[in-house]
Amino acid sequence: MLDRDRTEVRRNGEWLDMPVEDLFRLARTSTVAQILERDDFANRYSAGEPIAILELLYPLLQGYDSVAIESDVELGGTDQTFNLLLAREVQRAYDMEPQSILTMPILPGIDGVQKMSKSLGNYVGVEDPPEEMFGKLMRVPDEAMPTYYSLLLDEEPQADPREAKRHMAFALTERYHGVEAAAAAQDRFDTLHVRRELPDEIDEFEFSPDDGQVHLPALMAEAFGLSRSEARRLLTQGGVRLDGSELDGGSLDVPADALDGAVLQVGRRRFKKLRRA
């Protein structure tokens, strides 16, 4: 945080005070023109979009990290190349030997378009449950498979895209959860998406209708931990099934008798066996 006299920087996991004159010294190590050479800044500047002063300072503050820890080598994604090179210039300004840098390719998310990111929801987490991990990997577009194989498996994909995807999903699920969990995840995937069968075990959910009718968005919110707006969106998009039949946005209120004993499916992998209390 910045006040009249001091700011703070983080070093070795601890917050340390930085005198404002030191911040000014850091700001003198580069120019606005140099910072604007970064692709995202250059594009926004050309389009007349606003760029905050704090955003321009960020690459310098990141570069100062290399000064603070006396970095010899820094590893980063190819999207960080500008910042890594700028850090070398900052080190020179502080009379330090510039660090060597090593950049790695960026893994696209399971949408095959943008880089994998939790904030974008297109990621596979190493701590994801086996079934979720396998299912996510089976959604990777065919055109992204060579990159996944190269970066994650260090091998060439099989000729058949579907078999290549199954092999990749199994291999990566096995890597993090073991062969038995990977086999079980693959079998569940086949049950739901290949054979179109219901899973052997489905958790039950009890509901208590007030007047013989059940408002589905409210039921889904309680049963699956969704917001009502998200539940309505899933209904409108055809992402909800009752005993295998697709529901639509008009199916907001359903007779309780029609739900008792039925299997409610949300998305591809979430199920509840409904029981009237």
Side-chain angles (χ1 to χ4, degrees):
M1 55 187 297
L2 181 65
D3 60 25
R4 289 182 56 192
D5 301 312
R6 311 187 73 81
T7 187
E8 290 182 324
V9 295
R10 193 170 180 84
R11 180 184 297 179
N12 297 331
E14 298 181 359
W15 285 104
L16 303 176
D17 285 338
M18 173 190 274
V20 169
E21 57 266 27
D22 287 354
L23 178 63
F24 291 161
R25 178 190 175 188
L26 173 62
R28 286 196 296 269
T29 63
S30 186
T31 66
V32 172
Q34 185 178 3
I35 298 296
L36 288 178
E37 289 177 1
R38 204 173 86 171
D39 288 343
D40 56 339
F41 289 155
N43 293 337
R44 289 164 60 188
Y45 185 76
S46 297
E49 298 177 359
I51 303 173
I53 297 297
L54 184 60
E55 293 181 86
L56 297 178
L57 284 175
Y58 182 83
L60 287 174
L61 293 171
Q62 181 176 328
Y64 186 79
D65 288 344
S66 297
V67 174
I69 67 173
E70 300 179 357
S71 171
D72 296 316
V73 180
E74 186 169 1
L75 173 68
T78 51
D79 61 335
Q80 292 294 312
T81 300
F82 178 91
N83 291 347
L84 299 179
L85 291 173
L86 182 65
R88 288 170 51 87
E89 299 302 318
V90 174
Q91 286 178 308
R92 286 193 181 96
Y94 282 82
D95 299 320
M96 294 178 60
E97 186 70 23
Q99 65 186 9
S100 298
I101 67 171
L102 176 63
T103 58
M104 298 294 289
I106 299 297
L107 182 69
I110 57 176
D111 57 359
V113 180
Q114 303 187 76
K115 69 178 182 179
M116 187 175 288
S117 167
K118 190 170 185 179
S119 61
L120 295 175
N122 64 350
Y123 73 103
V124 181
V126 296
E127 295 184 348
D128 281 349
E131 295 171 358
E132 185 172 349
M133 180 176 290
F134 191 96
K136 284 182 176 180
L137 290 166
M138 288 297 292
R139 290 160 52 192
V140 175
D142 293 346
E143 55 270 20
M145 293 299 294
T147 303
Y148 271 70
Y149 264 75
S150 174
L151 297 181
L152 302 179
L153 298 180
D154 193 25
E155 58 185 82
E156 292 294 325
Q158 302 174 29
D160 184 284
R162 185 172 180 276
E163 289 306 315
K165 200 170 298 184
R166 288 175 65 85
H167 171 72
M168 178 193 69
F170 189 96
L172 293 176
T173 304
E174 179 186 8
R175 178 181 299 174
Y176 293 102
H177 296 287
V179 64
E180 292 184 3
Q186 179 175 258
D187 183 64
R188 181 176 173 86
F189 181 88
D190 290 344
T191 295
L192 299 181
H193 305 292
V194 179
R195 298 189 294 269
R196 300 286 183 178
E197 301 172 359
L198 294 176
D200 294 332
E201 297 182 8
I202 302 176
D203 292 336
E204 290 195 352
F205 177 79
E206 286 192 350
F207 65 97
S208 301
D210 295 329
D211 55 2
Q213 292 286 113
V214 175
H215 189 58
L216 269 183
L219 176 66
M220 291 167 57
E222 188 175 354
F224 296 100
L226 306 171
S227 66
R228 294 196 182 192
S229 60
E230 184 179 4
R232 290 191 188 93
R233 178 180 60 79
L234 288 168
L235 282 165
T236 301
Q237 294 177 346
V240 182
R241 293 177 179 270
L242 187 65
D243 278 344
S245 298
E246 184 179 303
L247 301 177
D248 57 37
S251 307
L252 297 183
D253 295 295
V254 179
D257 291 341
L259 296 178
D260 191 21
V263 174
L264 184 63
Q265 177 182 352
V266 173
R268 297 182 176 183
R269 295 183 293 273
R270 291 183 285 181
F271 299 85
K272 292 291 184 181
K273 184 82 168 183
L274 302 177
R275 293 293 183 193
R276 186 170 184 171

